[in-house]
Amino acid sequence: MTELDKSKSAETFDIVNPYDQTYLGSLPLVTWDDIDKDLATAQQLFKDRQQWLPAFERINILKKTAILISQRADELALLIASEGGKPLVDARVEVTRAIDGVELCAKEISTLTGTQIPMDLTQAGAGRIAFTTKEPIGVVVAVSAFNHPLNLIVHQVAPAIAAGCPVLVKPARDTPLSCKAFVDILHEAGLPAQWCRFIMCETSISEKMITDPRVAFFSFIGSAKIGWMLRAKLAPGTRCALEHGGVAPVIIEESADIAAMIPSLLKGGFYHSGQVCVSVQRIFAPRDQARAIAQMLADGAEKIIVGNAIDEATECGPLIRPKEVDRVEAWVDEAVLAGATLVTGGKRLGESTYAPTVLLEPPVDAKVSTMEIFGPVVCVYGYDDIDQAIAQANSLEYAFQASVFTKNLDIAMKAVQALDATAVMVNDHTAFRVDWMPFAGRKQSGYNTGGIAYTMHDMSQDKMAVIKL
């Protein structure tokens, strides 16, 4: 019996290490009555301008929060690795990014400014002065994913605090401890508890919270199926931002430096066992180079150390749940049975781990070619014409980030212009990101734009004053 099976009460939920199901802790599940009170309090805070936190207080709280996170960096990295299965080396990077993200929120508060609107451009507006100011949008509800259990929370909650919005945050069910730690740190840094509430609840109750008319802005990171469903149910007037996944394409042009490119593709494809929304998944290479490139990737993949994320040597941790290993295994088996060449991997290493896998020429209609695998699997396809490769890269209903490897400037610019993506990396993998850049999916991959400054803008609203002289 696993530790999860020991407690199935409606009052608490147990959290385990996804690698070996080791018990990590329990958290209470709140009821709708609790959430209803929190929403009422948050709405009251927003409606009473006298209770708004002035900018200097928000700046001080966020600066102190960043200091507290840095003081507990090792503890938080171990927590990320323990509950999320992200290797310690990458968990430490996530903590650093979280610190930077909080500090960036504090800095961006100074940019939440209005503008003067010229009024005498026509006679009708003459004799007037007009300007805009920024105000918080209202109550924010944030629902997050498991794969960056601290940094995703920072990207959703810290901008809300910076913009002056009360926020209720529900983390992924698998990784709530990092979120709880961040909310506790915010409170320790001086944020009044009612301005940020940690919510752990059943799915049906969370949907009721999300669709409540008191919610002004809904921030969601998770699957496209759930995100679009929830958006359709939002109360009239509720704004939202949805961040879903993709099936990230990479175009390799014949002039690319192949040897220099392989380490980047290995990192982009197998980072966090491929459980990243912009993971390298589909690689399009010149047909006469495709097999060799697949073999070089396979040679690198075979050296990756797979194991418990809390072990220093681990480079590729577990999938978040054993059933995800079952799914990845089924998708790969389906592709191989349909004609894909298994270059390496293609097998489970345990209940919670799957070998880093490279497939050559899977069918274009296989699941690994058309859906986000969210596992340690990279597919290589040969092409005869780069226009055909770009067309295949653009053929899905998912479009997030893409990349092209080339030494040819004309090809680089052609790919930047032609690839259907919100960001195209040149000579870098698709999973590259810094926290101040816009980060968004097109088509079914998302709605609105993430990134600290962009999220703060979404969580603010303009108000204009027109003064007749």
Side-chain angles (χ1 to χ4, degrees), residues 270 290-291 294-299 301-302 328-349 354-363 368 373 376-380:
F270 299 117
R291 184 172 293 275
Q295 188 58 58
M296 283 188 278
L297 288 169
D299 293 342
E302 289 168 0
V328 171
E329 182 179 46
W331 286 21
V332 171
D333 290 349
E334 173 198 70
V336 172
L337 187 63
T341 298
L342 179 63
V343 189
T344 193
K347 60 183 178 182
R348 62 193 309 146
L349 301 177
Y354 194 81
T357 296
V358 178
L359 297 175
L360 178 62
E361 298 288 7
V368 296
I373 185 99
V377 179
V378 170
C379 304
V380 180

Side-chain angles (χ1 to χ4, degrees), residues 62-293:
L62 291 168
K63 285 183 175 180
K64 187 173 180 181
T65 296
I67 292 170
L68 291 173
I69 294 173
S70 65
Q71 291 173 346
R72 300 170 195 176
D74 290 341
E75 171 191 338
L76 290 168
L78 182 59
L79 188 58
I80 291 167
S82 298
E83 68 172 348
K86 177 180 288 186
L88 266 175
V89 62
D90 297 317
R92 293 186 181 110
V93 174
E94 179 172 342
V95 175
T96 299
R97 284 184 60 191
I99 295 166
D100 292 342
V102 173
E103 291 178 339
L104 185 59
C105 282
K107 292 176 183 177
E108 286 291 332
I109 289 174
S110 66
T111 71
L112 285 178
T113 59
T115 58
Q116 181 178 343
I117 310 298
M119 297 303 291
D120 59 351
L121 299 178
T122 68
Q123 184 177 354
R128 291 168 177 82
I129 293 175
F131 59 88
T132 63
T133 58
K134 290 284 187 182
E135 294 185 345
I137 195 170
V139 179
V140 172
V141 165
V143 174
S144 202
F146 75 86
N147 51 341
H148 308 288
L150 177 62
N151 202 42
L152 292 184
I153 299 298
V154 166
H155 271 256
Q156 294 173 287
V157 173
I161 301 304
C165 298
V167 55
L168 284 68
V169 55
K170 179 189 176 298
R173 198 173 178 89
D174 297 292
T175 55
L177 298 177
S178 298
C179 176
K180 180 68 164 55
F182 179 66
V183 173
D184 288 345
I185 287 173
L186 280 171
H187 295 161
E188 184 179 343
L191 182 72
Q194 64 266 31
W195 281 90
C196 183
R197 294 293 192 187
F198 170 85
I199 303 295
M200 193 74 181
C201 64
E202 298 291 354
T203 301
S204 59
I205 296 177
S206 68
E207 183 174 326
K208 189 174 182 180
M209 171 179 65
I210 291 161
T211 57
D212 191 281
R214 290 169 288 188
V215 177
F217 192 87
F218 171 49
S219 171
F220 177 81
I221 302 174
S223 75
K225 179 181 178 181
I226 301 299
W228 292 116
M229 178 273 290
L230 290 171
R231 178 174 179 257
K233 294 183 177 182
L234 293 178
T238 302
R239 274 46 173 177
C240 72
L242 311 176
E243 184 182 307
H244 303 145
V247 192
V250 175
I251 305 290
I252 299 172
E253 193 260 339
E254 59 184 8
S255 70
D257 186 338
I258 304 299
M261 171 190 72
I262 296 300
S264 178
L265 292 179
L266 288 169
K267 184 65 177 179
F270 299 117
Y271 166 70
H272 200 4
S273 297
Q275 297 172 114
V276 180
C277 59
V278 285
S279 260
V280 171
Q281 185 169 332
R282 298 178 296 153
I283 299 174
F284 301 95
R287 193 166 302 281
D288 60 354
Q289 295 178 288
R291 184 172 293 275
I293 288 171

Side-chain angles (χ1 to χ4, degrees), residues 375-387:
V377 179
V378 170
C379 304
V380 180
Y381 310 81
Y383 70 81
D384 297 308
D385 176 78
I386 196 167
D387 289 327

